Amino acid sequence: MDGNGRWAKQRQRPRTVGHRAGARAVNLCIEFCLNEGIETLTLFAFSSENWQRPKDEVGALLTLFLRALEREVDELHRRGVRLRFIGERERFPDVMRQRMSEAEQQTRANTTLNLCIAAGYGGRNDITQAMRKLAAQVAAGNLSADAITPSHINEALCLADLPDPDLFIRTGGDQRISNFLLWQLAYTELWFTPVLWPDIDASLLQQALADFAARERRFGLTSEQIAQGNHT
Ligand code: IPE
Ligand code: MG
């Protein structure tokens, strides 16, 4: 979700105004997924690197995040959304960690939409914590180093119970992954738009889905194999 700052700058307003507009776009995006029957949405709200932004911007983002939790969780629950948060929680204030756990507990049995919020998240951190888990198992003698497979790594990462993303959307014009779900994006279709995050609307998201639907996903195979449907 990129472009909040530039959106505000275009209007000669402080960056925090852009973040507030970005929060409204989050609601629109969730609404879109519910209407389209999309099963999982992972939003990159705040990266492990975003902690290094100016202190007042980080403070404003935390406040916005907390307010959104207080305002939206009951309604999301009513609509069958399962919420979870990925990323390092240690740096968040206690009250926020508390709210995040409560929201996860409250919505844990919901199945309409898996809504994952990446906050304080970094793909490299995620892979690092997974490696630590596996290394500890090896050190304890419960796993042999030679026996480690990609599925062991997958299991140790966040979102292990969810399928890999089909589609990645980045707004704001930059064409990079910026330490998002590095492992999980291996075969994800990437879609970039210059539209700034606060300016997204349903027709733009519809366009992303249409482009996605027109792509041939081969997963390393040939077109012929895909056409025959004899791959696993
Ligand atoms: C994305 O918008 C929101 C967060 C990273 C929290 P930016 O704040 O990165 O907006 P630009 O890139 O400065 O326009
Ligand atoms: Mg940015």
Side-chain angles (χ1 to χ4, degrees):
M1 306 187 284
D2 200 14
N4 295 351
R6 280 162 283 168
W7 187 92
K9 196 166 184 197
Q10 284 176 353
R11 289 161 179 76
Q12 280 102 45
R13 304 299 305 280
R15 294 177 58 83
T16 48
V17 172
H19 293 314
R20 233 175 290 147
R24 289 196 294 275
V26 166
N27 286 341
L28 183 146
C29 187
I30 295 169
E31 194 63 39
F32 178 85
C33 290
L34 284 166
N35 291 336
E36 293 294 325
I38 288 166
E39 288 169 16
T40 300
L41 172 67
T42 302
L43 294 169
F44 202 2
F46 190 77
S47 76
S48 44
E49 289 72 31
N50 287 153
W51 286 112
Q52 296 159 44
R53 287 195 177 188
K55 224 171 134 201
D56 57 341
E57 182 169 348
V58 172
L61 281 166
L62 291 181
T63 304
L64 252 179
F65 188 24
L66 182 59
R67 292 286 117 76
L69 281 172
E70 289 169 345
R71 207 177 44 232
E72 311 288 348
V73 172
D74 285 339
E75 174 67 6
L76 291 171
H77 178 50
R78 207 180 56 73
R79 301 188 70 180
V81 175
R82 177 175 179 182
L83 260 164
R84 48 180 125 176
F85 301 90
I86 58 170
E88 294 184 332
R89 294 206 195 173
E90 296 72 41
R91 290 181 74 173
F92 286 94
D94 284 348
V95 54
M96 297 193 63
R97 288 157 56 172
Q98 181 73 20
R99 287 279 191 288
M100 288 190 249
S101 314
E102 284 166 4
E104 287 175 335
Q105 281 302 323
Q106 184 183 355
T107 63
R108 61 186 298 168
N110 293 342
T111 54
T112 307
L113 170 69
N114 286 302
L115 176 58
C116 312
I117 310 289
Y121 176 85
R124 287 181 173 178
N125 284 345
D126 192 15
I127 292 171
T128 303
Q129 65 77 28
M131 293 306 114
R132 287 197 189 118
K133 274 191 221 165
L134 295 183
Q137 289 178 37
V138 171
N142 297 325
L143 178 67
S144 142
D146 294 335
I148 296 174
T149 62
S151 64
H152 286 104
I153 298 174
N154 208 48
E155 283 300 305
L157 290 165
C158 68
L159 306 182
D161 59 314
L162 295 174
D164 287 340
D166 288 314
L167 174 62
F168 162 106
I169 296 175
R170 183 179 182 137
T171 60
D174 287 325
Q175 303 197 358
R176 51 179 172 258
I177 306 290
S178 298
N179 204 12
F180 197 38
L181 304 164
L182 295 179
W183 172 277
Q184 297 88 338
L185 290 176
Y187 275 101
T188 300
E189 295 297 327
L190 306 180
W191 194 83
F192 299 95
T193 173
V195 172
L196 304 175
W197 176 254
D199 287 329
I200 61 150
D201 59 17
S203 78
L204 182 81
L205 297 173
Q206 210 55 260
Q207 180 66 54
L209 294 192
D211 288 351
F212 169 79
R215 293 189 190 178
E216 183 190 50
R217 304 185 75 192
R218 289 189 296 276
F219 302 96
L221 303 183
T222 66
S223 278
E224 290 70 23
Q225 285 174 299
I226 298 293
Q228 284 159 15
N230 61 0
H231 56 288
T232 49

